[in-house]
Amino acid sequence: MVQAPQIPFDFFAPTPASFDSFVVGDNAEVVTSLYALTDRASPVKPPPAVAIWGGPTVGKSHLLAATAAATNADNPGAAVLLAAGDAFPADPFVSARLICVDDADRLTAAQQGWLFTAFNHIVPSGGTVVVSGRTPPAQWPLRDDLRTRLGSGLIFELVAIPQDALPGALVEHAARRGFQLSDEVLTYILSRSRRDVASLWQIVNGIDALSLARKRAVTVPLLREYLARNNLSDSGASEV
């Protein structure tokens, strides 16, 4: 009986979210603004809030995680990273100077109360609350006093990477994982898969792991098998 291949320890495991691994595209202004928040020595007074909004898979969660990670790199505990689905800390009087809340447009009533108190605690001392949501913050179904505060600083729409930039971004991502995408494999991925960064990254990571398990090069037949086994092929994707 032939056993399915064991996926080995992935020594090219994805690194934590960072600004370096974010495909900027047309989002340079928001990336620059978030990165500036991580610089403790900056003479510029930080805004009370930064709200980013956009559709699914444009990278909102990535950027919030990158902002928190960069802030904590030199000063552990300086940033708190939360999401609407998380259990929030019991005490809103946190010592952090940066609070990042993903999916803030989905907060429960209790979470809204926590964030309201935390906002009023850290902002007077120069702290910032960074939040994300699917629509502009003025449309978020939150209590009025919190929604007003979250919209009182910078507001950015995060947009998807341009389609013509996807090939280069995929090649760079594969190179960071230690292998080269051939033109044939690249064309097959882009013509048979969903064309958003999150989905494409998942495919590159998965085919890399499968090629290591099989001890085979990344080829179209191997890619076709991976897509079929994981139901990742998008029949509606357009040819390139």
Side-chain angles (χ1 to χ4, degrees):
M1 179 178 178
V2 178
Q3 293 184 341
Q6 295 286 327
I7 300 299
F9 171 72
D10 188 356
F11 48 88
F12 291 112
T15 56
S18 70
F19 289 108
D20 289 340
S21 61
F22 182 75
V23 183
V24 177
D26 295 327
N27 299 297
E29 186 177 4
V30 60
V31 173
T32 299
S33 298
L34 291 176
Y35 186 77
L37 295 177
T38 71
D39 183 6
R40 298 176 63 194
S42 174
V44 179
K45 181 180 179 180
V50 177
I52 62 176
W53 66 276
T57 71
V58 295
K60 301 186 297 295
S61 299
H62 184 115
L63 280 181
L64 262 65
T67 302
T71 303
N72 286 328
D74 297 323
N75 187 16
V80 174
L81 176 62
L82 300 166
D86 296 340
F88 277 32
D91 186 1
F93 296 99
V94 295
S95 59
R97 63 181 177 86
L98 196 68
I99 298 176
C100 300
V101 182
D102 199 14
D103 294 328
D105 55 337
R106 307 183 192 187
L107 295 176
T108 66
Q111 290 171 333
Q112 291 178 48
W114 185 97
L115 186 56
F116 178 80
T117 302
F119 185 104
N120 291 336
H121 172 62
I122 73 165
V123 169
S125 301
T128 301
V129 174
V130 182
V131 290
S132 74
R134 297 161 293 177
T135 58
Q139 301 176 13
W140 294 354
L142 306 176
R143 47 190 273 188
D144 290 341
D145 51 4
L146 177 60
R147 185 174 55 249
T148 300
R149 283 164 171 76
L150 297 182
S152 63
L154 303 177
I155 300 175
F156 298 100
E157 179 184 8
L158 200 63
V159 297
I161 180 174
Q163 292 294 300
D164 59 3
L166 286 176
L170 268 179
V171 169
E172 291 180 9
H173 182 63
R176 284 195 296 267
R177 292 185 63 90
F179 74 101
Q180 182 177 356
L181 276 181
S182 69
D183 290 343
E184 185 181 21
V185 171
L186 179 62
T187 298
Y188 195 92
I189 291 175
L190 291 172
S191 63
R192 304 301 176 89
S193 310
R194 293 178 54 188
R195 295 172 67 95
D196 63 78
V197 171
S199 298
L200 294 171
W201 262 222
Q202 178 185 359
I203 290 171
V204 170
N205 297 347
I207 191 63
D208 180 29
L210 183 59
S211 72
L212 290 171
R214 292 285 183 84
K215 296 182 172 59
R216 289 171 51 188
V218 175
T219 61
V220 168
L222 192 67
L223 173 61
R224 186 184 298 118
E225 177 187 344
Y226 173 78
L227 294 176
R229 290 176 57 183
N230 293 277
N231 296 316
L232 294 175
S233 182
D234 184 355
S235 58
S238 59
E239 296 290 338
V240 294

